[in-house]
């Protein structure tokens, strides 16, 4: 009902669509048809539930009615996502982390992806900062690097006084206030999950090596559009919807050039 056919006709319920005037075709499309575009995805400004409800809201249906119809359409996973007031991609990771028994680790990564990087790299001392940060690097995954850093910070926080911990952060090029924000957000995410039955449980220890596969499978559930296949001809990566990207030079994977990668963020340069 969008493009007039070059030959033949388009019929809907026995009615020739292009025999109708533009206003009538508009009413038909609005009330009877739906469109799925390849480039469309969930809008991060809205929750999963609101994304599903948007078509009814656009038709100026009452918000309560739109949300109720959306709930009826959501799957069990969708309902769990809808209960979390998060970017749908992040909510999908959290739900999958719970299903895979790696919720604590996934919440750490989700919080890290939300706040500004706690690692500082001042231009005049970049090499020295990189030397400190290299301790947390995992050669297979930048995501696991977040977990290594989190575990280190947790251990140091237990052993040091508040002022000693702040001095350590400054000496090792770690931003203390951003670390607090990271930790606070992790606690908030745990609280959000607890309210809807998604709980970390008793095992709160972060163990990157033990849960690496489950963590990556959980993150992948929210990053399907960020998968890249290496193109040997152009030496970059072919992503979804025709995108092409390269690995950030600061990544642990920059020199390895794996056949497939999944990226947390694609930045246009």
């Amino acid at each position: 009902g969008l493009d007039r056919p070059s030959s033949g006709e388009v019929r809907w319920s026995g009615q020739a669509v292009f025999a109708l005037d533009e206003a009538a075709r508009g009413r038909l499309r609005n009330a009877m048809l739906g469109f799925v575009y390849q480039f469309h995805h969930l809008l991060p400004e809205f929750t999963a539930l609101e994304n599903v409800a948007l078509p009814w809201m656009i038709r100026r249906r009452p918000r309560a009615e739109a949300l109720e119809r959306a709930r009826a359409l959501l799957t069990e996973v969708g309902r769990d996502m809808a209960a979390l007031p998060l970017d749908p991609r992040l909510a999908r990771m959290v739900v999958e982390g719970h299903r895979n028994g790696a919720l604590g680790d996934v919440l750490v990564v989700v919080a890290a992806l939300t706040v500004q990087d706690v690692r500082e790299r001042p231009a005049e001392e970049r090499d020295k900062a990189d030397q400190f940060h290299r301790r947390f690097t995992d050669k297979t995954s930048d995501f696991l690097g977040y977990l290594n850093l989190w575990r280190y910070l947790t251990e140091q926080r237990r052993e040091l006084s508040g002022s000693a911990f702040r001095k350590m952060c400054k000496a090792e090029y770690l931003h203390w206030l951003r670390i607090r924000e990271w930790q606070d957000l992790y606690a908030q995410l745990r609280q959000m999950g607890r309210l809807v039955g998604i709980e970390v449980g008793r095992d709160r220890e972060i163990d990157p090596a033990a849960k690496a596969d489950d963590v990556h499978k959980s993150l992948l559930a929210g990053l399907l559009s960020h998968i890249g296949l290496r193109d040997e001809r152009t030496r970059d990566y072919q992503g979804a919807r025709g995108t092409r990207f390269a690995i950030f030079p600061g990544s642990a994977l920059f020199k390895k050039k794996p056949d497939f990668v999944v990226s947390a963020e694609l930045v246009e340069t």
Side-chain angles (χ1 to χ4, degrees), residues 36-243:
V36 178
Y37 297 93
Q38 283 187 322
F39 61 86
H40 274 198
H41 46 76
L42 296 177
L43 302 176
E45 295 85 356
F46 302 99
T47 65
L49 183 65
E50 289 168 336
N51 269 273
V52 177
L54 273 178
W56 286 290
M57 293 181 181
I58 291 171
R59 292 175 59 189
R60 301 184 184 280
R61 304 303 301 167
R63 177 180 173 83
E65 176 189 339
L67 294 176
E68 186 60 33
R69 294 192 67 173
R71 288 190 188 94
L73 290 174
L74 287 171
T75 63
E76 180 180 353
V77 170
R79 285 190 289 272
D80 287 342
M81 290 174 57
L84 297 169
L86 295 172
D87 175 326
R89 292 188 309 139
L90 301 179
R92 184 68 182 90
M93 297 176 197
V94 171
V95 171
E96 197 66 17
H98 183 239
R99 290 156 64 99
N100 289 331
L103 180 59
D105 300 67
V106 170
L107 289 180
V108 169
V109 177
V110 166
L113 297 177
T114 305
V115 302
Q116 190 172 352
D117 196 338
V118 302
R119 295 164 293 190
E120 295 190 287
R121 300 178 73 236
E124 64 279 6
E125 300 180 71
R126 185 162 297 170
D127 290 341
K128 189 175 179 181
D130 287 345
Q131 185 176 355
F132 274 106
H133 300 162
R134 204 169 290 124
R135 295 172 298 165
F136 314 118
T137 299
D138 185 287
K139 295 181 180 179
T140 66
S141 168
D142 292 336
F143 296 120
L144 297 185
Y146 285 126
L147 297 179
N148 291 333
L149 174 56
W150 178 271
R151 185 164 61 175
Y152 172 75
L153 292 172
T154 301
E155 292 170 352
Q156 295 302 306
R157 190 67 187 88
R158 289 171 182 167
E159 297 176 3
L160 301 175
S161 65
S163 60
F165 182 73
R166 287 193 292 273
K167 290 178 181 177
M168 181 219 74
C169 291
K170 184 176 181 180
E172 299 182 7
Y173 300 93
L174 300 169
H175 197 290
W176 179 73
L177 286 177
R178 293 178 198 161
I179 290 172
R180 285 290 305 273
E181 185 181 359
W182 187 14
Q183 293 170 334
D184 289 346
L185 181 56
Y186 169 79
Q188 291 169 17
L189 291 174
R190 281 187 53 200
Q191 178 64 21
M192 288 179 192
R194 188 180 300 118
L195 293 175
V196 296
I198 299 176
E199 298 191 55
V200 173
R202 295 181 179 179
D203 183 12
R204 299 178 183 176
E205 290 299 320
I206 302 302
D207 190 348
K211 298 181 179 179
D213 286 346
D214 290 329
V215 168
H216 286 116
K217 286 188 288 187
S218 303
L219 298 176
L220 182 60
L223 295 170
L224 292 175
S225 63
H226 286 195
I227 296 173
L229 169 65
R230 181 167 169 76
D231 187 329
E232 289 294 340
R233 181 179 55 85
T234 57
R235 298 183 181 276
D236 61 2
Y237 287 85
Q238 173 73 56
R241 300 184 292 274
T243 58

